Amino acid sequence: MREVFNFWPDIWCINGYLPNIGDSHGGPGNRTGIPCPSDAYLRLFDLTGEPRYAHIALLAVGGDKEKLPRSIWQPDPEGLIERAHEAYTKAGPWRTPSLVKRDYKLGILRTSHAKSPAALCLFYSPAAGTSSHSHFDALNFGLFANGQSIIVDQGYPLYTGGWPSRWEWTSNTRSHATVVVDGECQQHADGGALLGFAGKDGVQFIAAEARGAYKQVSQYRRTLVQIEAAGNRTLIADVFRVQGGKHHRYTVPFFYGQASMSGLTLHDVGEFYAGYVENVKGAEASSPWIADVAIHDQWDGDVQSHIRVHGDRGDYKVFLGQGETRLGNDRPERLPYLFLERSQDYLERPGDENNSKSTFIALYEPYTGEPPTLTDFGASFTNSQAEIQFDMGGGECYRIVVHDSGADSVSVDVEKRSRDVVSTLELKGTDGPVE
């Protein structure tokens, strides 16, 4: 019974959001409470005495104990509520740790920043035979930070059944924060596997693969490294490797807002996917670049926060565009999209036409107010590892190395240089909670 009732609070992020996986939670970025009544968690507290359940019951009613239900089946309802409130007060707010729900193929990395918590989610494979309400979104990731949803999913389609835009866009791989191969939709397969999940001293990582997502692909894996830095800063390094097929398009949809680019001069391209993405502008990644997205509090609302995405020069193209939402093309709402693209034009040797290999590397930082200092960004890779380095100012520099040559494992080294002090962390295996 505990496992059933623990599931929702375990995956609830920054006390306001559940990961959008498949047909869920209406549209992109919708806030949601824990989808279980407060009296259930109040009863669990009564049965177990665990302060966490008292905390969840109070969160469900906005922290106001007067709004907690008084059950007619409880011999002393007022006494139970007082005990729950006292347990919560003594224990303090419960902080759900980073965790993996292995059966659900979902991992969540949470920061410990009390003032500005963040949660990074990786859904690593809808299994074969999954419900029709699932999407084709293996290795899709999402980000919640600064009190809102930053990197989003389309959510529930406008209509289900055979509605064309559902299969062409809303549920299709094209609209999700993953990599599209050859312009095709993924297939549901049982190849999803966790390759690493560990954390220490403010650094965490999760790595997974979904090799069966595309029949023509022999490698399809993502590693996310999350760093909690000084000044309540959170940085996320993303390494996505693909081998197979002819064309790879790395895709990231953001919540409502406006995207801009520095470091590259973008040119009008037109549209992607028969108009599902409009106003597309792009350029060769001929120099390091930064995409900055001003995230609104709602469609056409006020700017609430930002996220910056850093990329290095390389043999790929960078695009910004405006993607249709689940509400359809008759509505004005559009989501900012970032695309990185490699195709046959960048083949490493002749004869590889159906076996292209790509390594996409990006660094993300959500922020509010003025853009934070981050310079000397660089990214490089070989067949066995990927490396990211950057300077955060104030003498604080990082070097992240992702070792992912192993068939079934990934490890991460993080070197931090703070003035004259150098510290190195090695993360490997799955030493976090995996359920």
Side-chain angles (χ1 to χ4, degrees), residues 289-304:
W289 54 268
I290 299 173
D292 192 297
V293 185
I295 306 292
H296 295 181
D297 55 1
Q298 59 185 346
W299 160 245
D300 208 21
D302 297 326
V303 175
Q304 180 168 323

Side-chain angles (χ1 to χ4, degrees), residues 70 83 287 304 395:
R70 274 71 172 167
R83 286 192 289 114
S287 63
Q304 180 168 323

Side-chain angles (χ1 to χ4, degrees), residues 14 133 165 168 302:
I14 66 170
H133 283 291
S165 64
E168 294 171 2
D302 297 326

Side-chain angles (χ1 to χ4, degrees), residues 217-235:
V217 165
S218 60
Q219 185 180 54
Y220 196 73
R221 62 171 56 181
R222 175 170 240 159
T223 300
L224 295 162
V225 182
Q226 182 170 270
I227 295 176
E228 297 179 55
N232 287 329
R233 294 175 68 175
T234 299
L235 297 105

Side-chain angles (χ1 to χ4, degrees), residues 219-268:
Q219 185 180 54
Y220 196 73
R221 62 171 56 181
R222 175 170 240 159
T223 300
L224 295 162
V225 182
Q226 182 170 270
I227 295 176
E228 297 179 55
N232 287 329
R233 294 175 68 175
T234 299
L235 297 105
I236 298 127
D238 182 21
V239 177
F240 202 126
R241 289 190 186 267
V242 189
Q243 182 168 0
K246 301 179 181 180
H247 182 276
H248 304 150
R249 182 175 283 163
Y250 174 104
T251 304
V252 188
F254 301 93
F255 191 60
Y256 298 124
Q258 300 294 325
S260 60
M261 177 68 65
S262 59
L264 300 175
T265 300
L266 304 185
H267 304 282
D268 290 334

